[in-house]
Each structure stands twice: as C-alpha cells, then as structure tokens.
Amino acid sequence: MNNTQTENSKQSKNRVLSGIRATGRLHLGNYLGAVKGMLELQKDPNIQTLYMVADIHTITTPYKVEELRDNRRQVVLDYLAAGLDPEKSVIFLQSMVPQHTELSFYFSSVMSIARMQHLPTFKDKVKQYPDYATMALLNYPILMSADILVYKAGLVPVGIDQEPHLEVSREIARKMNELYGLDFPEPQRFATKGEYVPSLKGEGKMSKSVEGSFINLTDDLGTITKRLSSAPTDSGKGTVTRVQNEKGKTVTTYTDQAGSESIGVKSLLEFVELFQGTAKRAEYETLYESTGIRYGDLKKELAAAIFAELKPIQEKRAQLEADPAYVDSVIEAGAARARVIAQETVEQVRTAMGLG
Ligand code: ADP
Ligand code: TRP
C-alpha cells in the first residue's frame, strides 16, 4: 500500500459527497434540502466533504448547450455564496473528473435494465419527456452511485426525493463488494429539517421545473413577496388536526370552515416554521382556530424572514461574480484533489474486475 492508499482507506468512512444538477439557479428547496446539509457537514473537521456540480447528469434530459455552460458556473456561485468553503470542502464539476463515468460503466454491469426501468424517478422523467427516454436517463442512478462511491462516501446530503437513487447506490456497493471483494460503504442520506420543501402552489414539492412553485436564492424582496402572494390560502379559520404517522412523525392537517382540506395553508405554515421557527407556526395555528389568520400580514412577515436569510448570500454572490478568476481557481483546484482520490478507487476496481 502506498501513502495515498492509506489516506483513502483511513478517510473513507468519513467522506461526504453531494451534487446538484446544472439546470438553473438554486431555489429554496435545493438550499434547505441539500445545501444546508452540505454546510452542516462541512463544519466537522473529521469529515472530508466533496461537493460537485452534476453537469453530466444535466444531459440526461433535454438541454441547451449554452445554458449548460452558464448554469454550471451559476451553481458554483450559488454554492460559494451560500457558504461552501474551498478551504474546507472540495468543490468541482463532475465532468472534470472522468473517473466518475468510467466507474459508472463498470457498475452498470451489476444492475439489471428492469431494476432501472422500475425506479419512480425514471418513470417520472419519461412521463415529463416522452421523447427522451434515453440510455443516459436509464443510467442516471448508476452514474450517481459512481459519483458517491468513487470517493467511498458514506453520507450524502440530499432531499428526500433522492432516496430511491441512494437505494441503488447501496445495492451496487453490496454487489461490488460480494462479487469482487471490494470495500464500498453503503451510503446513507443525511437529512435536514427541510428535506421536503413544498411547492408555493400548494400541491407537490418546490421544483425548478414547475413555474410558480419556487423562490430562488437570488430573488429580491419584491420578487419573494410577489411569488408568495400567489400562494393559495383559505378563509383563515378552521380546525387543526395532528396525527402520528407510522414513522412517529406528526402530520398536521388544516380544514377550513367549509370542511375542505387546505393544502396551501399547510405549505405556508411549513415555510413559517422553516424561516420563523416552531413557536411562530404554533401562534398561527392558535389564530386559525380562534380569530383567524390574516394571510396578507403572514405573507409579508414571511417574505421579510426569507429575504433576511437570503440577503447575505446575495451580497456574497455579487462579490464572487466580480471575480471570475477566483471561481475558476476554486474549481480547478477542487477537481485536481478529487481526481487523486477517484483514480485510486478506479484502479482498485479495475484490478478487482480483471481489467487492471
Ligand atoms: P429540482 O427538482 O428543482 O430540479 P434537483 O432535482 O436539481 O431540483 O435537486 C437538487 C437537490 O435539491 C437534491 O438534493 C434534491 O433532493 C434537493 N431538492 C430539490 N427540491 C427539493 C425540495 N422541494 N425539498 C427538499 N429538497 C429538494
Ligand atoms: N440526482 C441529484 C439531483 O437530482 C444530483 C446528483 C447527481 C447527486 N449525483 C449526485 C446528488 C451524487 C448527490 C450525490 O439533485
């Protein structure tokens, strides 16, 4: 064993990898579900954190070349502005470390086509883009598994929607270990409080592919206020019901005076909890069951609370935008560090599979 190998096995238990596709500006769902977890793990000096822009994953659905070129930089800017620190984390673009795609091909030899076709994430995307059911899309979870396992990362900060992909990465790790005597960890999701940020439209999750569902990290107070103003509400009065689900989590339901469930109000109060705290949400719930909530006031206060959290991020972003050479140097240095670890894993796998 040479020195780097010793380094790899010593650190592998404590490595973290995450990424976000380069499809546009980050929104509050990305921030609360993924970036906040990345930031938390970055604080721990015993953990090596690697954060990339999943630019290769971006080509698994229809895209424009010029937009991809720009968006992958925008995500790096959002990362750095939100507080990812190149002194503490390895920050890079997935496409700058070709070992990811090499490993993903080796991994594809242990997964069946049927298993990939049955994933809910695959089915959803095929429904969304019926003319683009490509091999790249089918391979999406396998490339994601390679992203994680090429660093032998055991922990992955992502939103709850990514759980089916992590399941695939655990299966691949088990199979590779069994078949080839390798030592891949079975990656677990690192969950945050905002693991599922609802859409502003009431139904479903906040997503950049659903217009009107999101608030971007770069939105100013006026835009945030405008986006919140179209979020659906009700008469402001009704009953609050709390039940425990099978996982022991409390599920709250709001039923207005007409007897219909107010999904929009539930989403709004979840935002209140995320940005203004549990006590504030409880205050509104008391009002809902007594004198009534004035949604105009609620939305105004909520917009101010969201903007207060985003303002420093936006200020930092403006500084970074003025210094493209610095951003380039961060990515170059990050990719160089990532390649060293990734190459070592790829060599191990090639040898174990009879290709070395
Ligand atoms: P989108 O659905 O907007 O295209 P992505 O699929 O690019 O977002 O997700 C990037 C990261 O952000 C992933 O870790 C994902 O789990 C997380 N994420 C996206 N939307 C949400 C959300 N509404 N709530 C929590 N996490 C989210
Ligand atoms: N699938 C993730 C998403 O949609 C992006 C991603 C690609 C990723 N590779 C990853 C996330 C590896 C965590 C780890 O957001």
Side-chain angles (χ1 to χ4, degrees), residues 78-134:
D78 278 332
Y79 274 173
L80 296 172
L84 293 196
D85 179 353
E87 300 286 318
K88 296 184 182 141
S89 296
V90 180
I91 298 167
F92 62 101
L93 307 180
Q94 183 186 32
S95 62
M96 293 170 84
V97 187
Q99 288 82 356
H100 292 219
T101 39
E102 180 175 353
L103 188 62
S104 82
F105 195 86
Y106 304 149
F107 283 177
S108 72
S109 70
V110 300
M111 290 309 271
S112 75
I113 298 168
R115 171 77 174 94
M116 295 295 102
Q117 280 173 325
H118 285 121
L119 280 176
T121 40
F122 177 73
K123 289 187 188 162
D124 287 350
K125 283 283 187 274
V126 171
K127 223 182 262 168
Q128 202 179 342
Y129 306 106
D131 297 333
Y132 293 88
T134 63

Side-chain angles (χ1 to χ4, degrees), residues 165-181:
H165 292 154
L166 289 182
E167 190 68 49
V168 170
S169 71
R170 291 192 281 271
E171 236 172 276
I172 290 180
R174 280 197 295 275
K175 286 197 173 152
M176 293 300 290
N177 293 350
E178 269 167 36
L179 286 168
Y180 302 110

